[in-house]
Every structure is written in C-alpha cells, then in structure tokens.
Amino acid sequence: MRIGIFFGGQSREREVSFAGGRTVYDNLNKQLFEPVPIFVDSLGNFILLEWQYLYKGTIRDFYPPISYQLQANQKQKFQIYVESLLSLETAQLEAIMREVGRPIYPHEFATLFDMAFLCLHGSYGEDGNIQGLLEWYNIPYTGAGILPSAIGIDKHVQTQWLPNNGFLRPKSRILDKKTWLLTNNKKELFEDIKQEIGLPLVVKSPKQGSSIGISIVKEDNWHTFKQAVHKSFFVQEITPQFWRNLSSIDKENFINQFTDIREGLGFPVYVSEYDQVIYTPEKLWEFLDKIFKEVSFKSSVHLLAENTEEVVLIEQWIEGKEFSCIVIEDFEGKPFALPPTEIRKFQDVFDYRSKYLPGTSRKVTPIELPIEQIEQIRQECCRLFQAIFAQVYARIDGFITQEGKIYLNDPNTTSGMLPSSFFFHQAAEIGLNPSQFLTYVLYTSLVARLREGKKVQTLQNKLSLLAQKIENLQQEVKSKIRVAVIMGGYSTERHISMESGRNVFEKLASSNKYAPFPVFLSREVFAPESTPFELYLLPINMMLKDNADDIREKILAFEQYKNSATGKYMQQIRQEAQPITQYFAGQSINEPQKISLKDLKNLADVVFIALHGRPGEDGELQSLLDSYQIPYNGSSAQTSKITINKFETNEILAKHGLKVAQHMMVYQHDLENRFDALIEELEMRFSYPCIAKPVDEGCSSAVKKIKSRGELIAYAKIMFRNSPEIPLKEAQALKLKPNEEFPMKNAFLIETLIEKGEAVHFLEITGGLLTHYTPQGIEYEIFEPSEALALGEVLSLEEKFLAGEGQNITPAVYSSDATENERISQIVKKELLKVAKILNIEGYARIDAFVKIYADKRVEVYIIEVNSLPGMTPATCIFHQAAINHYKPYHFIDKILEYALQKAKQKVSSY
C-alpha cells in the first residue's frame, strides 16, 4: 500500500512536522507499505519530495535552495523560509519547488498514493483543512476527521465546549487584538484581568501547539504581562534604546531568533507605524539600523507577524501535576487510554526544547499517583475523546491538582511523532514498537473512514489486503539477521546515545532483513573508572523511556516495581490491550533481563554499538566483543582507543603533516602543585580566547570558549571537582545551561582557538565517511561535508543532534563559483581521507574540521576531532551527507552492518 506522508506545512510547528514526517517515513514497515513523501511548503504548495531532502536537519537547510537563500541574504548570515521570497514571480517559485521535487496537485493524489498519513500540525494541518481536502478527493487519511480536528485545534472554542460537556476549566478571559492594540489604558486592563482571574496567570495563543505563544505571568509586573500578550499575538515592540545598545553580534543573534518561527515572529513581518512589509532578515536589520540611527528618534516600532491570532486566551494558573495521555480506539471503536505520562519540567513552560531533546525534562510513565487517580485521568481522557468525536488516536494534556481535580486543556488530534514523543513513548507501554504502532494507526484509520460510509467497497478491499499481510508477518521474523543495538552508557552523551540507539533500532525494525533488539549498557555515571558495566535486554517500553537515567532507574527498581500496586496496574493495562498488541506485535519481552557477553554471542549475529564517549568510542567494549568473536560496527579497539583521546589524535595527525590546533594537556596534580606558574605558562602559550575541552569525552561535551583567566580557573575547578554537584559560582562564570552536565576528570585539553584571520572565507565543517571491503582491500567513501553553523560560541549538542535546532548546509558551500567550490571540496575530502587512513578508521566515522580559504586560493584544513562512533540521531548531518551518495538512513546502517559481518568473515578465513 502506497502511503502519502504529509509533513511540513504552513504553521509555526512545521519543523516538528518535518521531523515527524521523517520518523514516519523511516518507520513504516517496508513489508507492508511504500512511503511517499509529500512535503507541504509554507505557502501551501504540495511537493513530491526527492527522498534525500528528508534527511536535512531543518526545512531551511534545503528549502528554499541555497542559491535562492544567497539571493535574499547577500551576506549569508541567516537561513530563511520560502515566504521570504514572496516577491518572486510564480514561475520562479515553481522553479524553487522543482529543485527539491515535483509540484503536485490534489487531483493527482490518487495516482500517487492509496492513503495519506498526516503529520501536519497546527493551522491547515490539525484544524480540519487538509482532512476536508482529502475527503473531497476520496483519499483515506489517518487520525480524526474534520469536526474533531476543528474542535481540537481551537482553545477558544474549548473554553465553551468542555464546560458544556461537564469538564472542569480554569477561570479564563478572551482578549481581542483590536482592543489590545487600540486601548490607551493597557495597565488598567491588566489590573482588571488580575482582579478577575488572579495571579499567576497563563497567556496563550489559542490556535498554536507545541507550547508556542505561551507564557506564564507569576508576578504582579505590568511589563512581563505586556511581553506575554505580545508574544501570544505575535507582536514585537522594538525600542530605540534596546536596538542601539546591541552589538553587531547581538543584533545577529536577535535577528536569528526573530527568524525562528517557534520563538520569533518570522517573515514576512509588518511594521505598523510605517505601513511597511519586510520579507528578509537582512532587510529588517537594515530597516532598524536606519530608523534608529538618529539619536533624536525616540519612538518604538511594533512588528506584527503575518500569521497571528485575533484573540488571546488568558487563564488561571493550575497548580498541580502536568500530564499527557494518548487515547486510541480498540477493535470495537471504543476509546482506550494508554498510561498517562507525568511531565516534570526544569522550567515553567514545557517548550519545544523540553519536549524533544532527551534529558531536558522528565517524562514519567505512568504518572506517580494513587491507582484510583490514574484510572480517573484515563477515564476522563476517554470521555473527552468521545466528547469531541475523535477517531483513531488523540493526545490529551492536562493537570491534576492536590485535591484530585482534573483539568483537561488541550486535545491534540495529531500528536508529535519524533522518536521521543508521547505518541511512541506510551504505545511502547503496551508492547508496540514505533513501526508496529504506525501500522496500527493506518489499519484503525481505514476502519474509521469505513464508518463514514464513503467509498465503502474500495476501503474494505484495502483493509482486507492489509489485514492479510499483517497476519503473514509473524512467520518471517525467524529468517532475519539478529542485531543487538547497544545504547545508553554513562558518559555525558548517554541521552544522545539513547536517541542514536533508538533510531538505529527503529530503522532496522521496519526492514525485511534484520531483527533488532535493544541492549542497555548500565553503570553509575560518576562511579570509579574500574567499575564494571552491566548489559540488559530491554523491553520496548523501557527503550522508549525519556532518557538513559530514567531507564537505569527503572531497571534497578524493577523487581520492587513489578510487585507494587502501580506495577500490577500497568500489567492490567497491558492485559486489556493484549488483543491490539498480539495482532500488531506478536510476542515480546515485558521486563529487563540481565545478560552476559556469552549470552549476547548466542542471541546476536552482530552488534551495533550506539554509544558515544566512554565506553563505546574508547575501545573497551570492542576489545570485549573481540574476545567473544562477536562482530560489531565501526573501527577496531586499537583505533577507537586513539580517536577517543583528542590529545593523542592531534599528536599523531601533526606528525603526519596535517594541521591541528596548538594543544596542551592540563593535569589536576600540576595545577594543584604549581598553580600560578601553570596559569602563566598557559597564558603565554595560548592567548584568550582559547578552547578548553575534555580529552576523552564525546564531541560537544563540556567544550567551552575560554575568554579570560577567571573562566579558565572556573573551568578547571568544575573539571577537577570532587563531587558530581557543579559549584554555582563557576557554573555562572561559564554560563552553563540549567541541567547542563559536566564530566569529572583529572586532566583536560587546551587548544588555540582557530579563527578566520587573513582568510577570505572561514567555516566549520563535519565530514562523514563509509568503508567497503573490496578484493583490493578497504575502500574509503568520503562524503561531501556539511557546514555547521553555531549560534553560540561553540557548536552545541542540541545543534548537532536535535531535529529543528541545528543549522547545517549540506554540502558545505566553499565558494559561489561552482568550479572553485568543487576544487576546494576535493582538497577538503582529500585531507579527510588522509586522516581516515592514518588512524585506520573502519566502518564509518565523522571528522570535524575548520576550513580557511585565502585570496590566493590557498586552502587550509584544521582537523578538530575524529568520532569513531558518530551520533546516529534522526537529525544528525551524517545522514544528510549519506543521502547525497544515494543512501537512505536504513541503507547507510545496512552498509555499516554488512562491513562488520564481512570483517568477521575475513578474520575467520585468516585463521
């Protein structure tokens, strides 16, 4: 069955939708479905997307194409969405679409796919618009129909609909935009709202999702309230003092944030005082510079987004536990609530970063409450599901107070579908992996469309064929290659490791070649280095827990949990869901099982190590697997031991004539014994700013730009601390993010900061590679590197691995001249090839570097580091690079595993 996956869209949630569409594309069971990517751009055009663009980090990385980005932004400071090019002719806009795929029209849908899988969020996607269009053209689609979608998107409508159906609602008030903008008594309005609702209060954009346009006003502060209302209306006031006080870098950061439609207004933007529309970031910068240039100019300007809200919803703050619950339909069409998840935030608002970056919030399933209250939440969510006439599935959010009152506040008829989303997280609690849950959604959606009485015979034929194929699947598992995907660990990148491991598992689980199973590597994070690790077979629900720490905690407490009231209740829920689970998943393990390496040899034909940092990239695990003759991905133990050590890697590469940063080790005992002398030595050898980093951790862990002696001392004190707690004074000096982790080591590395200098072009790149066995020996396939754009001082974990966060240009653009660009590209790839050969890299790897290009056409490549087990999260740019060489993520992973198996055969034959 051909499944048209609709993703992207016109709303502010288009990046979540884009990443979710990729997840669905990759996880659809390829034995049942053929995925067809239908990208909806932010102007509402439908594009049959060339598959390689699915694996870009963000929409702006490929659409509009880089050539059009350069036309709109001559300085290439900012990435834009296609609506910044609205001034172009229709023919030019069509040309843009044709660079990434083929424009298609609704009357063509039936020739391209048999059913639509909807991953669109917010306006035009979750509000009944796309559902109505598909119904007009007789295309069956996933999820709810028109009416429930229209109710579910509109928080304003819900303020009346929910109370009318017997649901509790907080005090609320509607504020319309005209009243807000025209009134001269805004402070009086605030006083009136406080009197009516009280503090704290929540200010919401009624038709947005993913916590966009939401603020909490806790204190009696007029300016905070005004900012919150502006945020919800997507209005931004710029004062002369604010703009004039910004440095050039600050202005760039401000415009970057402004362009980000999740937090900023985006483009085009309307300047109300000047009755002017601005389409691009650079034009906005020029405009603000121009009007605020005159010192005598003292008026503020108000910028208004094109996609805005006509009313803002102001609600009473509910004090209680926040939860989210997925409700699905059983085989009889009755609602069945999956175990609700408690959301534990590290900040007031559960925003995009908190939702989708592992480790930045906690998702606790089931919510920690008495069983009676959990059951009450589930029943209320089922009741709301029926009250809005939902179908197939819905995600329902809410709060429960200390008194046990339940407030449901947001029925989402299309849930986020990133790997860490509630959608998959809760389905795993009844034993469905992502691929199986997507099959359930498609099957149940066909049943839902059948109930509507349109094209009944056609839909019945589709359903019967799908049911027959599902029933045949269970017999085919035995012939597949068994892959143990090892994830977790105890480094500062253990949460990213879970994302990588889950992604690899999910890609393999939807294939017809491999039978993967998740294995968790566990050890206390700050335990002594000699402490051995343990391996556990994971049930699916544990693999999809929020992060590595949550999984370890659940494993250690499992026996106690299993016999607790909550454990027994969860078993009851799984039993109730057994008909669904049995049909779509067959048999699966329900509890963690500790295993040895000897057990692993009997269970797996090959291992995929999805660990980052230590262990994983340091050769320790590879040595153990070698001793049991278990094939594994990546480089040998010897190479891994070298590449994890950034100092040793630098030394080896420098001896072979490659350019690296000047570097020096700083040891704890040296600093303690000769503090002043060592600091002076460092300052003589390395001028500020310089780079400090752990010598043997993952790629972005604790890498900091050091700008002063105070920051250097703060870095040393944090690195050399005696307990896991990070001292507050030093954390503030380094501007560590809330909840940011920092390793404890007895040494770290100092490097010179590589800067542009006299070069005419300077960029940071990251280049992937793949190796192949040939009769002549190992052959290296060097991918086109990506340019990585750091928004901060150094490239962060979020920018490298979180969908929608990083900005990567793949392939990297070295020159606007095509011939010169190709010349430089070949030089860079040649240098990366040298690195791979010198270090005996095998399987695959990622090499990070800086590139300097001079006026006389000289090219210098400075190697930063080598990752022998690079991140394999859905958004990481190694997949973008592999796509250029015609590898889909699954095929890339397949090649890595094929090399591991061939390598093992070579060893056996050599014996």
Side-chain angles (χ1 to χ4, degrees):
M1 185 182 290
R2 299 169 303 166
I3 306 299
I5 304 167
F6 283 69
F7 61 101
Q10 301 181 63
S11 81
R12 293 178 179 274
E13 298 174 73
R14 67 190 69 156
E15 294 290 2
V16 182
S17 171
F18 175 69
R22 174 175 56 220
T23 303
V24 173
Y25 183 89
D26 283 338
N27 284 282
L28 284 181
N29 190 315
K30 304 308 182 295
Q31 293 170 273
L32 301 174
F33 307 111
E34 177 190 341
V36 180
I38 310 298
F39 173 62
V40 185
D41 76 8
S42 42
L43 300 178
N45 299 302
F46 299 103
I47 303 171
L48 181 60
L49 194 70
E50 292 181 14
W51 66 262
Q52 59 264 40
Y53 293 108
L54 271 165
Y55 302 105
K56 298 293 185 179
T58 70
I59 293 169
R60 288 183 290 168
D61 285 344
F62 73 95
Y63 192 82
I66 186 64
S67 57
Y68 292 92
Q69 301 249 7
L70 289 169
Q71 286 178 33
N73 294 284
Q74 294 301 321
K75 297 176 185 176
Q76 202 191 335
K77 285 180 179 291
F78 309 105
Q79 288 185 307
I80 57 173
Y81 289 106
V82 72
E83 54 263 41
S84 285
L85 304 178
L86 274 172
S87 58
L88 295 180
E89 299 288 337
T90 302
Q92 290 176 297
L93 290 172
E94 285 195 4
I96 290 173
M97 289 186 264
R98 292 188 185 282
E99 287 205 23
V100 299
R102 178 168 74 85
I104 58 173
Y105 302 93
H107 70 270
E108 298 180 84
F109 286 173
T111 66
L112 297 169
F113 50 86
D114 306 301
M115 186 172 182
F117 199 112
L118 299 183
C119 299
L120 298 170
H121 299 296
S123 303
Y124 304 100
E126 212 171 338
D127 56 4
N129 277 255
I130 190 68
Q131 291 83 357
L133 178 68
L134 291 166
E135 288 200 10
W136 184 263
Y137 286 94
N138 295 308
I139 304 292
Y141 56 87
T142 55
I146 298 170
L147 177 61
S149 298
I151 299 169
I153 194 65
D154 198 324
K155 298 177 182 69
H156 183 193
V157 168
Q158 292 162 25
T159 60
Q160 300 171 49
W161 189 282
L162 270 64
N164 289 345
N165 284 275
F167 294 94
L168 292 176
R169 293 290 296 173
K171 293 179 185 178
S172 65
R173 175 166 170 170
I174 294 297
L175 178 62
D176 71 87
K177 186 164 65 175
K178 187 175 180 181
T179 299
W180 173 254
L181 292 178
L182 295 181
T183 184
N184 293 320
N185 299 314
K186 290 185 174 68
K187 288 187 178 180
E188 290 183 17
L189 196 59
F190 179 43
E191 293 299 323
D192 188 35
I193 290 169
K194 284 190 300 180
Q195 194 72 24
E196 181 181 346
I197 295 179
L199 292 172
L201 54 83
V202 185
V203 184
K204 296 181 176 179
S205 299
K207 295 183 180 180
Q208 305 292 328
S210 285
S211 305
I212 291 171
I214 296 181
S215 302
I216 297 171
V217 180
K218 288 188 171 183
E219 299 175 354
D220 188 358
N221 186 306
W222 150 246
H223 292 289
T224 302
F225 176 75
K226 182 174 75 168
Q227 287 175 343
V229 173
H230 279 167
K231 180 178 179 180
S232 294
F233 277 131
F234 302 103
V235 173
Q236 188 151 357
E237 180 182 6
I238 310 290
T239 66
Q241 183 181 10
F242 168 78
W243 188 255
R244 289 168 187 156
N245 287 341
L246 294 180
S247 67
S248 182
I249 294 295
D250 292 334
K251 288 178 180 178
E252 184 174 334
N253 290 337
F254 170 82
I255 298 291
N256 255 319
Q257 187 175 29
F258 189 94
T259 309
D260 185 340
I261 52 172
R262 292 162 299 165
E263 293 294 329
L265 269 60
F267 292 90
V269 63
Y270 175 69
V271 189
S272 60
E273 288 82 1
Y274 289 79
D275 192 24
Q276 182 173 340
V277 179
I278 298 175
Y279 289 93
T280 66
E282 288 194 353
K283 290 296 183 185
L284 178 60
W285 188 334
E286 290 172 12
F287 172 80
L288 294 175
D289 272 348
K290 181 180 178 181
I291 64 168
F292 292 136
K293 187 175 182 180
E294 297 297 329
V295 178
S296 59
F297 190 94
K298 295 182 179 179
S299 299
S300 299
V301 295
H302 289 81
L303 307 176
L304 283 67
E306 183 176 48
N307 292 319
T308 180
E309 299 274 0
E310 286 305 306
V311 299
V312 156
L313 178 62
I314 300 173
E315 287 185 342
Q316 173 191 15
W317 167 257
I318 302 299
E319 189 67 49
K321 289 192 174 189
E322 187 172 358
F323 63 82
S324 190
C325 183
I326 301 288
V327 180
I328 62 176
E329 286 185 310
D330 65 17
F331 285 131
E332 297 177 0
K334 296 177 182 177
F336 179 83
L338 299 178
T341 299
E342 179 183 347
I343 302 160
R344 294 182 182 173
K345 302 166 290 189
F346 300 129
Q347 54 193 29
D348 290 333
V349 178
F350 190 48
D351 62 8
Y352 179 90
R353 185 174 183 270
S354 301
K355 281 184 178 179
Y356 300 116
L357 182 66
T360 53
S361 65
R362 292 293 301 275
K363 300 184 184 82
V364 180
T365 307
I367 186 171
E368 292 186 351
L369 287 170
I371 301 304
E372 297 77 16
Q373 289 187 324
I374 300 177
E375 184 63 20
Q376 187 182 359
I377 288 171
R378 292 180 67 220
Q379 293 307 316
E380 280 293 278
C381 290
C382 287
R383 193 165 73 84
L384 180 55
F385 187 91
Q386 290 176 310
I388 66 169
F389 307 104
Q391 298 155 299
V392 187
Y393 76 93
R395 193 192 83 230
I396 297 172
D397 302 334
F399 292 85
I400 182 167
T401 67
Q402 283 190 331
E403 299 77 31
K405 293 181 179 179
I406 296 171
Y407 292 84
L408 302 180
N409 65 351
D410 197 5
N412 295 270
T413 52
T414 300
S415 176
M417 294 185 189
L418 271 70
S420 58
S421 298
F422 298 111
F423 185 74
F424 297 122
H425 182 86
Q426 292 180 18
E429 293 294 340
I430 61 169
L432 295 179
N433 70 33
S435 182
Q436 294 157 351
F437 192 40
L438 294 177
T439 300
Y440 157 84
V441 168
L442 285 159
Y443 179 94
T444 310
S445 295
L446 279 175
V447 174
R449 303 289 85 84
L450 260 172
R451 292 197 205 107
E452 293 162 0
K454 301 173 184 176
K455 300 290 181 183
V456 172
Q457 194 56 52
T458 301
L459 291 174
Q460 186 59 63
N461 290 342
K462 291 179 190 290
L463 187 64
S464 298
L465 182 60
L466 179 57
Q468 182 183 346
K469 285 182 173 289
I470 290 171
E471 289 163 11
N472 293 338
L473 283 181
Q474 302 302 324
Q475 302 303 316
E476 300 177 14
V477 174
K478 296 175 184 177
S479 61
K480 295 183 177 182
I481 298 171
R482 302 169 301 166
V483 184
V485 184
I486 300 182
M487 58 191 83
Y490 45 83
S491 79
T492 52
E493 294 187 25
R494 61 195 180 280
H495 306 310
I496 298 297
S497 166
M498 287 307 306
E499 283 293 279
S500 289
R502 286 190 281 239
N503 187 42
V504 170
F505 170 88
E506 289 163 7
K507 299 294 185 291
L508 298 176
S510 65
S511 77
N512 56 14
K513 181 176 180 180
Y514 296 102
F517 58 93
V519 177
F520 185 72
L521 188 146
S522 177
R523 197 197 81 176
E524 187 180 343
V525 173
F526 290 104
E529 289 294 327
S530 57
T531 307
F533 58 74
E534 298 173 330
L535 297 176
Y536 292 89
L537 289 180
L538 283 185
I540 294 300
N541 68 313
M542 279 197 180
M543 183 189 79
L544 291 182
K545 288 295 181 188
D546 193 43
N547 58 55
D549 294 344
D550 196 16
I551 294 169
R552 175 176 162 79
E553 180 184 303
K554 293 291 187 294
I555 289 173
L556 296 179
F558 184 78
E559 286 304 317
Q560 181 182 349
Y561 170 80
K562 184 168 69 171
N563 297 313
S564 68
T566 302
K568 291 176 180 177
Y569 177 65
M570 291 294 286
Q571 182 58 38
Q572 177 189 323
I573 292 174
R574 281 191 286 272
Q575 195 62 40
E576 292 170 5
Q578 188 62 26
I580 296 172
T581 307
Q582 185 67 40
Y583 187 74
F584 292 100
Q587 297 296 325
S588 58
I589 66 169
N590 293 318
E591 54 186 72
Q593 299 172 19
K594 187 175 179 181
I595 61 169
S596 65
L597 284 167
K598 184 178 179 181
D599 297 327
L600 188 64
K601 181 175 176 60
N602 295 326
L603 292 168
D605 301 307
V606 63
V607 163
F608 195 104
I609 307 171
L611 302 168
H612 306 309
R614 301 180 64 192
E617 289 188 81
D618 61 349
E620 178 186 357
L621 182 57
Q622 287 86 341
S623 293
L624 292 169
L625 293 172
D626 281 337
S627 67
Y628 282 89
Q629 297 182 355
I630 304 173
Y632 56 85
N633 59 308
S635 294
S636 67
Q638 183 180 1
T639 293
S640 301
K641 186 178 179 181
I642 293 169
T643 56
I644 191 66
N645 188 312
K646 297 178 179 68
F647 178 81
E648 189 174 351
T649 301
N650 280 349
E651 290 284 286
I652 291 172
L653 295 179
K655 285 177 183 176
H656 283 81
L658 285 118
K659 294 185 182 298
V660 298
Q662 185 181 353
H663 50 277
M664 176 179 171
M665 290 292 295
V666 179
Y667 294 96
Q668 184 174 4
H669 61 83
D670 279 351
L671 200 63
E672 290 172 350
N673 295 334
R674 54 187 194 97
F675 181 89
D676 291 333
L678 182 56
I679 294 293
E680 287 180 12
E681 180 185 342
L682 288 169
E683 289 180 329
M684 285 183 64
R685 189 168 173 186
F686 302 90
S687 59
Y688 298 115
C690 58
I691 295 292
K693 60 174 73 170
V695 70
D696 58 356
E697 278 285 322
C699 55
S700 292
S701 172
V703 179
K704 297 295 174 186
K705 185 177 180 179
I706 304 298
K707 301 181 290 296
S708 66
R709 175 179 285 200
E711 289 186 1
L712 177 59
I713 293 171
Y715 189 94
K717 285 186 176 180
I718 296 176
M719 186 66 75
F720 298 152
R721 68 193 188 279
N722 296 318
S723 65
E725 291 74 28
I726 297 175
L728 179 60
K729 180 181 175 184
E730 282 72 23
Q732 290 173 339
L734 290 183
K735 297 178 182 174
L736 299 188
K737 295 174 184 174
N739 211 43
E740 182 175 346
E741 294 196 31
F742 214 98
M744 291 166 54
K745 302 283 184 179
N746 59 13
F748 65 87
L749 185 63
I750 290 283
E751 291 181 341
T752 52
L753 176 66
I754 301 171
E755 297 181 285
K756 183 176 182 180
E758 296 178 359
V760 294
H761 191 36
F762 175 72
L763 63 162
E764 181 176 355
I765 61 107
T766 178
L769 62 88
L770 188 63
T771 64
H772 309 275
Y773 265 113
T774 70
Q776 293 75 35
I778 296 175
E779 179 183 283
Y780 288 89
E781 183 177 2
I782 306 295
F783 297 152
E784 287 288 347
S786 305
E787 178 181 359
L789 306 176
L791 294 181
E793 293 179 334
V794 295
L795 203 62
S796 67
L797 280 174
E798 295 94 321
E799 288 171 318
K800 284 189 176 181
F801 300 117
L802 176 59
E805 283 292 305
Q807 294 184 13
N808 294 293
I809 298 173
T810 308
V813 179
Y814 306 103
S815 172
S816 57
D817 178 79
T819 303
E820 180 65 5
N821 189 72
E822 176 61 20
R823 183 187 74 85
I824 298 169
S825 174
Q826 292 303 320
I827 291 171
V828 173
K829 289 197 289 184
K830 188 176 180 181
E831 291 297 288
L832 301 185
L833 178 60
K834 284 181 188 176
V835 172
K837 289 183 173 180
I838 290 166
L839 298 173
N840 296 316
I841 295 291
E842 289 183 85
Y844 66 124
R846 195 189 77 234
I847 303 171
D848 298 338
F850 286 108
V851 179
K852 290 184 176 187
I853 302 158
Y854 294 90
D856 62 4
K857 296 193 174 184
R858 279 184 300 121
V859 178
E860 293 180 343
V861 181
Y862 288 81
I863 306 300
I864 306 170
E865 63 179 304
V866 179
N867 294 276
S868 61
L869 290 176
M872 298 289 275
T873 68
T876 188
C877 59
I878 200 166
F879 288 129
H880 318 163
Q881 298 164 19
I884 293 175
N885 285 24
H886 309 292
Y887 299 112
K888 293 181 180 179
Y890 163 72
H891 296 128
F892 180 54
I893 295 166
D894 178 41
K895 288 294 181 185
I896 293 167
L897 288 171
E898 281 185 354
Y899 183 90
L901 291 166
Q902 287 175 324
K903 181 179 176 181
K905 287 179 182 177
Q906 289 288 113
K907 282 186 177 180
V908 170
S909 62
S910 66
Y911 293 147

